Amino acid sequence: MNSFRSYFENPRNIPRVFWVLFGLAVLLTILRPVLPAGLVRIPEALLAPWRDWIDVAFNFIRGDMESGRFGLIYITRALTGVLEFVLNAVANVLYGKRRWPNIEQIPWSVLGIGITVMAYYLGGWRLALLSAITFLWTALVGQWKLAMETMNVILVAAPMGFIIGGLLGIWSWKSKRVEETIKPLLLVMQVLPFFSYLLPAVIFFKVGPTAATVATIAYSLPPMILMTTIGLKKVSPEVVEAGKMAGCTRWQMLRYVYLPSARTEILVGLNQVIMLCLAMVVLTAAIGMPGLGAKLLAMMGSFKLGRSFEIGVTIVLLAVTLDRMSKAWVTKQPEHFEKGTPWWKRHFYFLLAVGAMLVTYALAQLFGSMKPVELTLWPISEFNLPQYMAGVVDEVHRNESLSQSKPIDKAMRSFLSWDGVTAVTTSIRYFVNVYILVPTEKALLYIPTSAFILGVTAICYRLGGYIPGLLAFIFFCIVAQFGYWDRAMLTLHSVFTATAIAFIIGSPMAIIAARKEKWANRMIVVCDTLQTFPSYVYLLPAVMLFGISPVTVIISILIYTMVPVIRYTIEGLRGVPPELTEAADMSGATRWQKLFKVQLPLAMPTIAVGLNQALVFAFFMVIIAEFIGTRDLGQEMRKTLAGTHLGWNFVLGFSVVFMALTFDTAINAWAEKRRKLLGLS
Amino acid sequence: MSDNAPVISAKNVWKLFGAEPEKYLANMPEGHGFDDIRADGYIAGVKDVSIDVNRGEMLVIMGLSGSGKSTLVRCFSRLHEITGGTIEIDGQDIMALSDKDLIDLRRSKMGMVFQSFGLLPHRTVLENVAFPLEMRGQDGHSRRERALEVIKLVGLEGREEYFPRELSGGQQQRVGIARSLAIEPDIWFLDEPFSALDPLIRREMQDEFLRLQDMLGKTIVFITHDFDEALRLADRIAIMKDGAVEQCDTPDQIVLNPATEYVRKFTEEIDKARVVTAGALADASITAKGATVPAQATIKELAASLVADKRAEIPVAAVDGTVVGGMKRQAALAVLLGDAA
């Protein structure tokens, strides 16, 4: 067995083995017409009933409330009550849901001003402006309640994700065995389609906000666990020794030395938790969670572009504000006060926030009881701003909102039906569909299963070596066994075409941007901002431009995956040591020579990591694209939500997981190998 | 426990890094060298070291990076668990201590200063200095008082509320020193405390350190890779190579009589006249007459008088004025000119 493995690991044999496997795959494809049916697709009779097996196992664990057989569901249902209580209490404060503690909802203006002062403290007037715009926009276009329904889940899920993730992170830092168990689990969790989070949540917890909260927490855990572990591991050994020499007990070490020293990483973890919570909570629309996500889904479905656009802007503003504020907290370093600074000066911002909130609250009480102001919003000349603001300081009533959905809708429609635009979109749609999508899809579906498995194995082996090749073989055999091969191929098809196009468009852009430091920095800022948008939002521009069609799916994945492609290409190029480019210049290389002979080869490992992330993003997005209609695994998964078909759901979900992990392992292994070879750490 | 018993007494201390160090050490054949051990997959951090540190003495452990000097000092404070041998602090075998007793020992007797300071970034100067006091449960008022006292001692008054990142390297190390002194330790470990500082600041900190030591008189184990620093500060120097102590002696003995080839190479470039004192050259059997020279003066300091003084043998007197012996002028001149053996 050992010599068997070492044969495949020997670098000299790799090309030979690769060509044999790959040639075999090509041969099988050519011979398809005469191939026995069993090699083209696995016959139904040979497929194992995975769905039923999983269902049986799952039902056993779940227990049954009707027959009284004890199981996990008894525990989760008990937790549901607690969770519901907390959610309701927060909902009462946020948007006046009639539950304990039965205080009125906080006026939007009071919450807004408090958070804006906090933003000013954390990140200066720019952040304060961003926060103010977000709150004004959300309230004045009349989406306050929707936004608060969404925030309700985030406000409960994010702290819990932070605490649970942090504790698991500490545990996996303490125990090697836990770390080794958790690591592959986290890998799987990061590529598991969101539908596979939703269904168990719905089964174990009640439909609606509770299930949404649970799914959101689960989805946000992996980065928090990873960041906590990384942060704790990174604490400088001298700081640790200083703690020990100070005579810290184990608890004191953790509490006073490790956790504060790992502050940056832990807070970056929190930032990730918040962003993933937002990304997930809008997707929980699929299980009937009200809020921004559900409204956007409904509006997009009925092609109400104006309203969709407004909701999209709200989601994006919320995302950017939450991201910037939590990031500002990461970089906020404590400043000292000179001796003898009075108490009020030390707590200036806190007092300012409280004061501003009290004043706003008083205003809200004063004007809120008055009759809603009669408003004629258009034309603007008759619009009296102070009077209007006074009228809505407590609550924006339906007829008072400044929503311009109808005019926007009209403008967009006329823009989209403008001949120039129609010509462009129609021709893109036609070109992409006829020349790219249809032929590649046909080709992919034509390839026999056996040939495909061999081909993927060959490529992954060539890229990553023995282990990735072996995993590719095993994983794709499992996918074939799961029995949704054609749908899996369709999913793969969308993922690959979109990523490929993203790469073709994105990398030249990145290469151009990387030529000047200023452009590169701007591009990175744009990418960072785009990356904070919940993936769901990316459907919007695609739907607007291309309506509901297969091309829309590709376009939305394309926009989403372009971000990592550009980002990592720029970072890869910038990471090339300056003395090497200088050496190239001094050797008299032209700009092209320098790019192709020096910069790109050295940037390749980083670009590969970007490609990998793009693929992972694409696998995520392709499932979301189901909302606008696909024929792949995503659509099938959506169906499972209607019942309690967990086996079915998991078979589909893990088809995606295994495919994604195959490429993830191979590309990462390649990048790692390459990096070592080039002497980049 | 008498006053002249050593404070730290290490006997045949081994520290091996690897898979099963205890088992390996027990079965290791006699006379196995550093490279033999490495060939077996183990790294000898500390190799059969026996050393005593006396009360009030400053022992400088000196060696190149990777020679095991930092490992050895971490064995003294049991930051590393040793593989073999014994280490006694005030007669107490520290390997036999329970976790709780070890913590108590560190809380009451030991202080340590680190090369890159090891300050807690989220705490102010005051809170950093008070940290060991806080850990042992001292009340807020008294620990603040004590911390302010030490901060004043290291000359950082007025910076109590600053955070470490707001200070320069030299100031940060002053915080590190203040923190290590806060609990009034008997034993003071300093692990290359000035190596991360630039040369001018380093010199200033060495002076400062000598001033503190004059005042406090602690038992000190000081690590450095800088021979000049070692010569400046040490009562005794231990030179380490590949985990073993090559020679442990007073600075002038190391310079005049290097025990091994390695030590000789090390001392070659040193201006011996700046290290060797008249006392070291004095021979009690020689009785010379006339004006004496002080025993603690270096030959360099005596250079002018050595050239002028034509006597073949010059009497040397200790600090209290008693004559300890005579110094051959020729030998002294040889040291001065750098061609002494």
Side-chain angles (χ1 to χ4, degrees):
Chain A
M1 190 64 206
N2 236 345
S3 66
F4 175 79
R5 184 174 166 173
S6 63
Y7 176 82
F8 287 104
E9 277 177 343
N10 186 347
R12 262 198 284 166
N13 297 330
I14 287 180
R16 201 180 314 157
V17 175
F18 167 73
W19 284 116
V20 169
L21 286 175
F22 198 75
L24 212 59
V26 174
L27 194 71
L28 282 169
T29 312
I30 296 170
L31 292 180
R32 176 179 160 131
V34 292
L35 228 49
L39 284 178
V40 178
R41 291 287 183 270
I42 298 183
E44 291 281 328
L46 287 182
L47 294 176
W50 294 96
R51 283 170 56 171
D52 304 335
W53 290 347
I54 295 174
D55 271 334
V56 168
F58 164 73
N59 281 332
F60 176 76
I61 297 169
R62 186 182 64 165
D64 191 353
M65 284 206 136
E66 272 159 38
S67 67
R69 189 170 54 80
F70 185 76
L72 198 57
I73 196 153
Y74 279 84
I75 301 166
T76 56
R77 280 291 151 92
L79 284 176
T80 310
V82 180
L83 201 57
E84 205 165 23
F85 176 76
V86 177
L87 278 166
N88 281 334
V90 177
N92 173 261
V93 179
L94 283 182
Y95 59 94
K97 194 172 179 182
R98 290 194 197 292
R99 288 292 191 286
W100 183 87
N102 280 322
I103 35 180
E104 266 178 88
Q105 85 180 75
I106 304 178
W108 68 271
S109 46
V110 174
L111 202 61
I113 208 147
I115 289 176
T116 302
V117 172
M118 196 163 107
Y120 183 73
Y121 166 70
L122 287 173
W125 64 269
R126 279 160 177 267
L127 198 56
L129 190 68
L130 178 67
S131 155
I133 289 174
T134 305
F135 277 95
L136 284 173
W137 166 277
T138 311
L140 295 186
V141 297
Q143 288 170 4
W144 186 252
K145 184 165 183 238
L146 289 176
M148 287 307 109
E149 278 170 340
T150 300
M151 284 310 294
N152 183 14
V153 171
I154 296 181
L155 277 180
V156 176
M160 286 180 73
F162 177 70
I163 292 167
I164 297 172
L167 288 176
L168 286 174
I170 293 172
W171 195 21
S172 92
W173 161 72
K174 276 263 172 212
S175 147
K176 191 111 191 109
R177 197 179 305 162
V178 173
E179 190 186 3
E180 274 160 12
T181 327
I182 271 184
K183 239 183 188 163
L185 266 176
L186 292 184
L187 261 180
V188 169
M189 281 175 82
Q190 278 173 330
V191 289
L192 189 65
F194 73 99
F195 279 126
S196 294
Y197 284 94
L198 295 184
L199 186 59
V202 169
I203 294 173
F204 283 110
F205 300 86
K206 245 164 74 181
V207 183
T210 33
T213 308
V214 172
T216 306
I217 293 171
Y219 183 67
S220 71
L221 283 180
M224 185 64 207
I225 299 176
L226 283 177
M227 287 314 294
T228 308
T229 312
I230 289 173
L232 290 171
K233 275 187 182 167
K234 253 176 58 183
V235 176
S236 127
E238 289 205 337
V239 170
V240 174
E241 285 174 338
K244 282 186 184 158
M245 287 309 288
C248 288
T249 60
R250 276 159 57 133
W251 163 245
Q252 284 175 326
M253 278 305 279
L254 184 66
R255 164 77 180 75
Y256 296 104
V257 179
Y258 279 110
L259 288 180
S261 302
R263 171 186 184 270
T264 305
E265 283 79 9
I266 292 175
L267 287 185
V268 168
L270 176 64
N271 166 269
Q272 299 274 302
V273 165
I274 294 172
M275 297 327 288
L276 286 182
C277 279
L278 183 60
M280 187 63 170
V281 75
V282 288
L283 290 173
T284 52
I287 50 167
M289 160 71 202
L292 292 168
K295 200 75 181 173
L296 181 58
L297 186 62
M299 291 297 131
M300 226 157 42
S302 50
F303 215 64
K304 288 189 176 152
L305 292 183
R307 281 283 269 166
S308 308
F309 177 76
E310 283 183 349
I311 298 170
V313 171
T314 309
I315 295 178
V316 164
L317 279 174
L318 270 179
V320 176
T321 309
L322 284 173
D323 178 60
R324 291 289 151 83
M325 280 187 65
S326 51
K327 274 198 186 133
W329 192 24
V330 176
T331 47
K332 184 90 189 162
Q333 295 285 351
E335 298 275 348
H336 71 271
F337 290 100
E338 288 305 330
K339 248 189 195 162
T341 313
W343 183 86
W344 67 268
K345 237 183 202 167
R346 286 177 190 260
H347 302 89
F348 177 72
Y349 289 103
F350 177 72
L351 293 174
L352 182 67
V354 171
M357 285 169 84
L358 285 177
V359 170
T360 322
Y361 188 71
L363 285 176
Q365 291 304 307
L366 195 62
F367 295 115
S369 53
M370 289 166 73
K371 265 195 108 184
V373 188
E374 287 294 321
L375 276 172
T376 325
L377 290 179
W378 207 261
I380 201 98
S381 57
E382 290 173 27
F383 180 58
N384 185 338
L385 188 68
Q387 188 191 6
Y388 174 71
M389 286 309 290
V392 297
V393 68
D394 183 27
E395 206 178 336
V396 184
H397 293 282
R398 208 184 158 79
N399 55 346
E400 295 168 335
S401 87
L402 295 181
S403 169
Q404 298 296 321
S405 61
K406 291 231 170 72
I408 293 175
D409 201 69
K410 226 169 159 186
M412 278 189 177
R413 274 175 206 279
S414 61
F415 172 74
L416 291 175
S417 58
W418 183 48
D419 286 347
V421 177
T422 339
V424 173
T425 53
T426 320
S427 52
I428 291 180
R429 189 157 57 195
Y430 181 79
F431 176 81
V432 172
N433 206 9
V434 174
Y435 290 102
I436 301 177
L437 294 185
V438 174
T440 48
E441 187 183 304
K442 275 195 179 142
L444 209 56
L445 288 175
Y446 180 81
I447 301 174
T449 307
S450 53
F452 194 88
I453 295 175
L454 280 180
V456 168
T457 308
I459 292 169
C460 290
Y461 169 68
R462 179 78 218 242
L463 283 176
Y466 178 74
I467 296 283
L470 191 67
L471 284 182
F473 182 74
I474 295 172
F475 284 174
F476 268 83
C477 283
I478 297 175
V479 172
Q481 254 296 310
F482 278 166
Y484 290 91
W485 184 261
D486 283 357
R487 282 182 188 273
M489 285 303 107
L490 287 176
T491 303
L492 216 50
H493 172 250
S494 308
V495 166
F496 276 150
T497 32
T499 313
I501 301 174
F503 213 74
I504 291 168
I505 302 175
S507 37
M509 278 168 70
I511 289 172
I512 294 170
R515 270 174 47 197
K516 280 231 174 83
E517 191 62 27
K518 202 168 74 183
W519 297 345
N521 284 337
R522 277 188 197 157
M523 204 69 159
I524 295 268
V525 170
V526 171
C527 284
D528 278 347
T529 312
L530 285 176
Q531 203 153 22
T532 60
F533 295 3
S535 33
Y536 190 30
V537 174
Y538 285 86
L539 290 181
L540 198 54
V543 169
M544 279 182 183
L545 286 173
F546 297 98
I548 300 218
S549 80
V551 178
T552 317
V553 175
I554 299 296
I555 299 284
S556 57
I557 304 174
L558 170 77
I559 311 174
Y560 189 49
T561 50
M562 198 108 98
V563 175
V565 167
I566 292 180
R567 214 211 132 102
Y568 280 86
T569 308
I570 291 181
E571 294 213 324
L573 288 172
R574 285 212 295 194
V576 175
E579 59 277 14
L580 286 178
T581 51
E582 279 163 13
D585 285 334
M586 290 312 288
S587 312
T590 62
R591 194 192 281 158
W592 284 100
Q593 283 174 324
K594 193 167 77 177
L595 180 64
F596 283 103
K597 307 273 176 196
V598 179
Q599 290 171 306
L600 279 181
L602 280 163
M604 223 40 213
T606 313
I607 297 177
V609 172
L611 175 68
N612 184 38
Q613 191 157 59
L615 280 174
V616 171
F617 277 28
F619 272 109
F620 189 74
M621 196 66 194
V622 73
I623 304 297
I624 296 175
E626 191 285 320
F627 284 127
I628 50 176
T630 51
R631 292 161 296 140
D632 63 3
L633 293 166
Q635 192 223 25
E636 199 76 4
M637 291 193 80
R638 179 73 176 280
K639 288 188 205 156
T640 66
L641 285 190
T644 50
H645 308 292
L646 199 88
W648 189 11
N649 179 299
F650 270 28
V651 161
L652 295 162
F654 274 86
S655 297
V656 177
V657 167
F658 284 132
M659 290 194 293
L661 282 186
T662 302
F663 300 112
D664 181 79
T665 334
I667 296 175
N668 273 339
W670 183 84
E672 192 56 35
K673 242 180 15 184
R674 195 75 203 152
R675 221 173 245 162
K676 251 186 214 152
L677 208 69
L678 293 173
L680 308 162
S681 59
Chain B
M1 182 173 57
S2 73
D3 231 24
N4 44 20
V7 178
I8 304 173
S9 170
K11 287 197 178 59
N12 306 101
V13 171
W14 283 84
K15 172 68 191 175
L16 296 178
F17 297 99
E20 287 178 313
E22 274 89 7
K23 209 170 141 193
Y24 176 79
L25 184 65
N27 300 321
M28 196 178 67
E30 196 76 12
H32 234 45
F34 184 82
D35 292 323
D36 304 316
I37 295 172
R38 187 157 63 185
D40 293 336
Y42 288 85
I43 297 291
V46 172
K47 200 166 133 267
D48 200 16
V49 168
S50 298
I51 217 167
D52 283 348
V53 188
N54 299 313
R55 189 163 302 283
E57 180 188 37
M58 179 163 1
L59 175 74
V60 173
I61 301 178
M62 140 96 227
L64 301 180
S65 59
S67 61
K69 52 193 190 311
S70 288
T71 312
L72 180 60
V73 85
R74 279 164 174 72
C75 291
F76 290 161
S77 55
R78 212 177 134 183
L79 284 172
H80 287 335
E81 306 281 325
I82 58 176
T83 318
T86 54
I87 292 177
E88 288 179 0
I89 303 270
D90 286 337
Q92 162 77 260
D93 179 4
I94 59 163
M95 292 310 289
L97 292 175
S98 66
D99 278 357
K100 191 181 163 300
D101 291 338
L102 180 65
I103 285 175
D104 281 344
L105 177 72
R106 288 177 181 160
R107 283 178 179 180
S108 59
K109 269 192 186 160
M110 291 176 172
M112 185 157 176
V113 181
F114 299 89
Q115 181 174 0
S116 24
F117 324 134
L119 300 179
L120 296 164
H122 58 288
R123 289 175 160 244
T124 60
V125 169
L126 185 75
E127 288 164 342
N128 257 297
V129 173
F131 184 67
L133 306 173
E134 186 183 336
M135 289 306 103
R136 69 179 183 191
Q138 210 158 315
D139 69 280
H141 187 71
S142 81
R143 68 178 186 239
R144 189 186 154 83
E145 214 161 90
R146 171 66 190 157
L148 286 173
E149 208 174 290
V150 227
I151 288 171
K152 195 171 167 191
L153 191 68
V154 299
L156 275 180
E157 263 174 309
R159 300 283 159 94
E160 295 87 354
E161 300 294 323
Y162 282 53
F163 286 92
R165 78 192 149 76
E166 298 175 307
L167 301 172
S168 71
Q171 289 171 328
Q172 289 192 34
Q173 193 55 296
R174 283 170 197 263
V175 181
I177 290 174
R179 176 178 63 185
S180 69
L181 290 175
I183 58 153
E184 297 181 71
D186 298 335
I187 308 168
W188 202 11
F189 299 111
L190 298 104
D191 181 12
E192 302 208 30
F194 309 136
S195 298
L197 307 174
D198 59 56
L200 280 180
I201 308 282
R202 193 182 309 163
R203 183 88 193 172
E204 186 191 315
M205 293 291 286
Q206 286 167 1
D207 291 337
E208 183 81 20
F209 173 69
L210 284 172
R211 178 183 71 87
L212 280 175
Q213 174 57 4
D214 268 354
M215 211 157 68
L216 305 169
K218 309 245 178 241
T219 304
I220 293 176
V221 179
F222 189 108
I223 296 183
T224 181
H225 62 251
D226 176 354
F227 206 7
D228 283 325
E229 186 170 76
L231 293 172
R232 250 192 112 202
L233 305 176
D235 291 324
R236 276 193 307 154
I237 299 178
I239 294 185
M240 283 186 81
K241 183 196 172 214
D242 289 346
V245 172
E246 293 273 306
Q247 186 175 7
C248 179
D249 221 325
T250 54
D252 40 20
Q253 280 309 310
I254 287 201
V255 173
L256 287 175
N257 303 314
T260 65
E261 182 60 21
Y262 182 75
V263 177
R264 196 189 63 75
K265 269 194 180 158
F266 229 102
T267 57
E268 223 166 35
E269 294 300 309
I270 295 298
D271 181 3
K272 296 181 179 63
R274 279 174 46 208
V275 182
V276 178
T277 57
L281 290 179
D283 187 342
S285 64
I286 299 173
T287 47
K289 290 193 177 61
T292 59
V293 291
Q296 77 279 10
T298 62
I299 302 300
K300 184 99 178 179
E301 287 161 353
L302 298 173
S305 68
L306 273 173
V307 174
D309 197 336
K310 294 289 191 295
R311 287 176 293 172
E313 287 165 347
I314 301 166
V316 177
V319 188
D320 56 6
T322 55
V323 176
V324 292
M327 169 176 75
K328 286 197 171 123
R329 177 168 174 255
Q330 211 51 48
L333 284 174
V335 169
L336 188 61
L337 295 173
D339 52 15

